[in-house]
Each structure stands twice: as structure tokens, then as C-alpha cells.
Amino acid sequence: MSHNEMTMNPQTAARSSRLRTMCGTAMLSAVAYVLMFLEFPVPMLMPPFIKMDFSDLPALLASFAYGPVSGIAVCLVKNLIHLLNTQSGGVGEISNFLLGAVFVSVSGIVYGKMHSKKGAVIGSVIGAAIMAAASLFINYYIVYPVYTAFMPMEAIIGAYKVINSGVENLWQCLLMFNVPFTFIKGLCSVVITFLIYKPLSPILKGNL
């Protein structure tokens, strides 16, 4: 609660807090949407249809500042808007939302129970690890089966084989490539979050 809210009556303070959360969530959703367009491939490490982006960063900020529901909302809003410009028939947006929601919800829940810098570190690393583990099952059972409507499974596995000829099936591809990539992607967002969260915190929480 900001200093100004402490001087208000409880009802006014609650309304002010809700309004700040809504505005902050909307602002971070817009930033996350823009960041989705700044994606880039990681040649020789991942197939060309998998790209690196930092659009989970604003969602992680929202989860720390306002709670995990706000973080999930950022993940949802950015992907709903991005559907207007999708190049994957919505498959990429489904994957981005599901994995991002896992990441920021776990991070936010742990941080809520351990409200300290240490708690934020532990929560975000656990969140990144669980997101990476979840990516194996989300991709195998949801995302890639849908993706085969646009690209045959043989072609998908073939894209992985270009990098590592030893992979034989989708499960191996996901385990060897997607899981570590997703974990590293999450850790990148964690590092940037800790670099910028402290200076941004007064703005996000209305403590100016």
C-alpha cells in the first residue's frame, strides 16, 4: 500500500489499490505485447520456428508487484492481442500463454509466501524450472499435435535433426532442446527482472 493510500479510509484505499493494479496490469500487458515482436531465432541451437523473446518479463513484474493473477492476466492479454497478427495459426500463442502462466503464477505464489528478495529469487527459479518441465508435456500433448495441421511431424522432427541427427522422435526433441531452452529463457527474464524491478517498483506500486 502506498503512503497516500495509508491516509485514506479503507474503502477509498481499496478502490485506489484495485485501480492501480488494473492500470499497471494493462500497461505491462501492452509492453509484453510489443516485446513479442522483438523475438529472434537462435540458429544452430533451436529450429527456426522456435524463437527467443522476453515478453514474459512484464508478466513476471506484474506477478511480483500485484500478485500471480495479474501476471497471468498479462500473459493472456498479450497473446489474445497477438492473435490478430499470428503467423502460427494460434499455436504459438497457446504455447506462450500456457508456459508463461505457469512461470509467473509459480513465481508469484512463492514470492507471496516469502516476501523478500530471497523469496523472489527462489520463486522465479522454481517457476522457470517448473515451466521448463511443463513445456515437455504441453508441447507433446497440446502444442505440437495442433502444429501438425500446419507442418507434418516428419518435417518438425527433421528441423531438430538438422541440429542433432541423433534425435529419433518428438519426445527426444523436446527433452533435448525445448526443455533446456525454456529454462534458460525463463532465467533470462529473471535476471532482467532483478535488474529493473527495484527502480520500477515505486512506479508500479504507486509509492512515488
Side-chain angles (χ1 to χ4, degrees):
M1 183 177 293
S2 68
H3 174 73
N4 289 336
E5 288 172 351
M6 293 177 65
T7 63
M8 301 176 185
N9 65 60
Q11 289 184 337
T12 303
R15 285 196 298 269
S16 176
S17 179
R18 286 195 297 269
L19 180 61
R20 187 183 68 250
T21 297
M22 290 175 60
C23 291
T25 301
M27 176 189 69
L28 290 170
S29 297
V31 174
Y33 170 67
V34 172
L35 288 177
M36 292 186 79
F37 289 97
L38 302 180
E39 62 183 10
F40 55 92
V42 189
M44 305 307 296
L45 295 177
M46 295 297 292
F49 52 81
I50 298 177
K51 295 180 173 62
M52 173 72 82
D53 73 82
F54 298 105
S55 63
D56 286 336
L57 172 60
L60 187 59
L61 288 170
S63 193
F64 285 158
Y66 309 124
V69 173
S70 180
I72 294 172
V74 171
C75 292
L76 178 62
V77 171
K78 69 170 182 175
N79 281 291
L80 286 176
I81 301 175
H82 197 264
L83 280 172
L84 300 174
N85 308 98
T86 185
Q87 297 180 346
S88 63
V91 179
E93 287 75 19
I94 293 172
S95 176
N96 190 284
F97 168 69
L98 292 175
L99 294 177
V102 170
F103 178 35
V104 302
S105 61
V106 172
S107 301
I109 289 170
V110 175
Y111 178 62
K113 295 182 180 298
M114 302 172 60
H115 204 74
S116 63
K117 185 175 182 179
K118 180 180 179 181
V121 172
I122 293 173
S124 53
V125 172
I126 291 175
I130 293 178
M131 175 177 66
S135 72
L136 182 63
F137 302 98
I138 289 173
N139 282 316
Y140 189 82
Y141 291 108
I142 300 175
V143 175
Y144 278 74
V146 176
Y147 202 72
T148 54
F150 306 93
M151 187 176 186
M153 184 59 70
E154 294 78 10
I156 293 174
I157 296 175
Y160 286 97
K161 279 181 171 289
V162 170
I163 305 171
N164 185 341
S165 60
V167 295
E168 299 293 337
N169 52 56
L170 180 60
W171 189 263
Q172 289 181 352
C173 294
L174 297 176
L175 194 59
M176 294 179 64
F177 290 92
N178 292 55
V179 170
F181 173 79
T182 303
F183 182 60
I184 292 172
K185 178 182 175 181
L187 290 183
C188 288
S189 292
V190 171
V191 171
I192 298 173
T193 295
F194 279 94
L195 291 175
I196 66 175
Y197 183 72
K198 187 173 182 178
L200 286 180
S201 182
I203 300 174
L204 296 173
K205 295 185 177 181
N207 291 329
L208 292 175

